[in-house]
Amino acid sequence: MGNVQTEMQSKKRQKLDKNRIYRFLGISMANEGDGYEMKGERFKIQRNPERELQMESSATNSAMKTRSVAVALPALSLRPESLGNPGTVAELHRRCHDMLPQTFDGFRLNVSRHLSHNVAVGHALQLGQKSQLANCQFNVSYMGETLHELSGEAYPMIIAEVDAKGNLSGTLMHFITPRLRAKLTATVLDSQLQSSRLFLDYFGNSCTCTCVLSNMNVQQEMGVLVASYLQQVTPQLALGVDFIYQREDIVPGGQAALLTAVARYHQDNRLWSAMLSLQALELCYTQIYGKCLGASVQLRANILKRQAISRLCYHCYIPKMEFSFRGGIDTRGVISAVCERRLEPLPVLLQLSGKLNHLTNRFRFGLGLVIG
């Protein structure tokens, strides 16, 4: 009986693919580059956003890439007999972001080895046309035996990565109580602490409260505070608010605040989500067709600069072939696609990535291998 329970817990942990870890860390799943940029973000947390986001995301991405396999589309369902916990505001557009193809350039190789049910180590190598894209990392991850009842996440969780230049990124997550989750992420560049974030999430019976402290400096009175609240009003409707306060020298006037209203509505196999503030708007719609096909539409707008972009994406999964395909097109003429195919009986996952910008006539292609 004990062996059966251990095997079931092991299978649940293996379902933690890279996309789920991305969502857990609150990293944007939208593509970047080649016409995908939306200038004028809600706020700037980091002093060097591009470099710090690259280091922060690469740690989790490399540590969990070896567990990335084509998975079936999740069903959009809620328990009608109870409201249930609505999740965090960071996961508001999770269903839609899962459809977006995560493209990459050049060649990418990920090799991992599971030392035990809890510990895994791996190497990640990425080569591109540009010299700065060449990078090599070593990563290690640890996941505990306990599974959280609400989220199904294994805890405690530790993920760390170091690259050839000695830069280090790490993440620590643990449930202090059954309803309180704490998470700490840090990035060290050139022997200096470049960024740090502390997440505190409280999961109630029908609501979730989140507090994030980013790059806090008590002596200089600088940093970013994010507070959000999401309430499940009915089994189909969830409403909430997201408040952001930033105090840094790079902000005009030294400080800034932003209040955002959020909403999510679920009906059968369809899901609507929205975030609205005085500066930005994001609308998402997702629909699941059976177990093998899903589609989503995303609209992002910068109200102050009067800029907007919309994307149409879909995800197709064939269980018998272990084949997954994600494709998308946006209003700026950018077509992107990523397909994954497991090469049985070898423990190898083949990844092909492509992105074409019709306006600039730029084409990018990527080849990836995940071994382990």
Side-chain angles (χ1 to χ4, degrees):
M1 188 66 180
N3 296 332
V4 176
Q5 294 179 354
T6 304
E7 184 178 359
M8 292 178 62
Q9 293 180 355
S10 177
K11 291 182 179 179
K12 290 182 179 180
R13 288 194 300 269
Q14 291 176 359
K15 293 181 181 180
L16 295 175
D17 57 355
K18 63 179 179 181
N19 293 334
R20 184 172 182 178
I21 298 298
Y22 272 129
R23 297 191 302 268
F24 178 73
L25 293 179
I27 302 174
S28 175
M29 301 298 292
N31 289 331
E32 301 294 338
D34 284 352
Y36 277 99
E37 294 88 343
M38 285 293 298
K39 297 181 179 180
E41 297 293 336
R42 295 193 305 169
F43 61 97
K44 297 181 180 179
I45 292 184
Q46 300 144 329
R47 297 181 180 275
N48 190 353
E50 295 181 358
R51 178 58 178 168
E52 294 178 13
L53 182 59
Q54 179 183 2
M55 290 299 301
E56 181 179 345
S57 61
S58 62
T60 306
N61 190 17
S62 298
M64 303 305 299
K65 264 186 176 75
T66 57
R67 305 184 185 184
S68 172
V69 295
V71 294
L73 294 171
L76 297 178
S77 62
L78 291 176
R79 294 177 296 175
E81 64 273 9
S82 61
L83 295 179
N85 185 271
T88 62
V89 173
E91 297 179 341
L92 190 71
H93 303 305
R94 178 170 60 92
R95 299 293 190 186
C96 179
H97 291 168
D98 284 344
M99 304 290 177
L100 300 177
Q102 305 303 308
T103 59
F104 58 93
D105 292 339
F107 176 73
R108 189 168 65 181
L109 175 64
N110 295 273
V111 182
S112 72
R113 180 180 179 85
H114 293 272
L115 303 181
S116 65
H117 292 290
N118 307 97
V119 181
V121 296
H123 295 271
L125 174 64
Q126 183 173 358
L127 301 175
Q129 296 180 355
K130 299 180 181 179
S131 59
Q132 58 267 29
L133 293 180
N135 197 5
C136 180
Q137 303 95 14
F138 171 77
N139 54 77
V140 59
S141 61
Y142 171 83
M143 291 189 179
E145 296 286 349
T146 309
L147 295 178
H148 191 251
E149 296 180 357
L150 297 177
S151 63
E153 298 169 340
Y155 68 93
M157 181 183 70
I158 303 175
I159 298 176
E161 180 193 77
V162 59
D163 62 10
K165 298 181 180 179
N167 300 322
L168 177 66
S169 298
T171 300
L172 171 63
M173 186 276 290
H174 185 65
F175 280 88
I176 302 177
T177 67
R179 295 188 178 273
L180 182 60
R181 180 178 66 184
K183 178 179 54 181
L184 176 63
T185 66
T187 301
V188 178
L189 299 178
D190 299 329
S191 301
Q192 294 183 355
L193 182 62
Q194 191 72 10
S195 65
S196 61
R197 292 182 184 180
L198 176 62
F199 299 77
L200 292 175
D201 299 314
Y202 175 78
F203 299 94
N205 294 329
S206 61
C207 65
T208 301
C209 302
T210 301
C211 180
V212 182
L213 301 177
S214 177
N215 297 337
M216 300 299 296
N217 191 324
V218 180
Q219 296 181 352
Q220 299 181 4
E221 297 183 354
M222 297 172 57
V224 178
L225 170 65
V226 181
S228 60
Y229 177 81
L230 187 61
Q231 173 70 49
Q232 193 74 39
V233 182
T234 67
Q236 292 79 25
L237 179 63
L239 301 175
V241 63
D242 186 28
F243 175 75
I244 302 173
Y245 176 77
Q246 181 180 13
R247 186 181 181 89
E248 288 185 338
D249 297 335
I250 62 176
V251 179
Q255 59 183 354
L258 180 64
L259 185 65
T260 304
V262 301
R264 182 181 61 203
Y265 182 78
H266 169 269
Q267 183 182 18
D268 297 331
N269 61 338
R270 295 181 293 272
L271 182 67
W272 293 265
S273 57
M275 299 184 69
L276 174 63
S277 67
L278 297 178
Q279 299 182 4
L281 168 67
E282 183 173 2
L283 300 175
C284 294
Y285 170 74
T286 304
Q287 184 167 352
I288 303 298
Y289 305 91
K291 297 182 179 180
C292 300
L293 183 63
S296 65
V297 179
Q298 181 190 44
L299 171 64
R300 297 180 62 191
N302 189 316
I303 300 177
L304 297 180
K305 295 188 176 183
R306 297 181 180 181
Q307 297 178 349
I309 181 175
S310 60
R311 301 184 180 94
L312 173 62
C313 303
Y314 68 95
H315 177 203
C316 177
Y317 170 69
I318 304 178
K320 294 183 180 180
M321 300 179 58
E322 295 194 21
F323 175 82
S324 176
F325 181 86
R326 288 180 173 85
I329 183 173
D330 65 8
T331 53
R332 298 186 180 182
V334 178
I335 299 177
S336 56
V338 174
C339 64
E340 297 180 351
R341 175 72 160 85
R342 183 163 292 279
L343 305 179
E344 295 291 351
L346 301 176
V348 178
L349 181 69
L350 176 64
Q351 299 175 331
L352 298 178
S353 171
K355 179 183 287 188
L356 174 63
N357 190 328
H358 287 279
L359 298 181
T360 60
N361 293 326
R362 290 187 58 188
F363 175 74
R364 300 192 301 178
F365 176 78
L367 173 64
L369 292 176
V370 180
I371 303 175

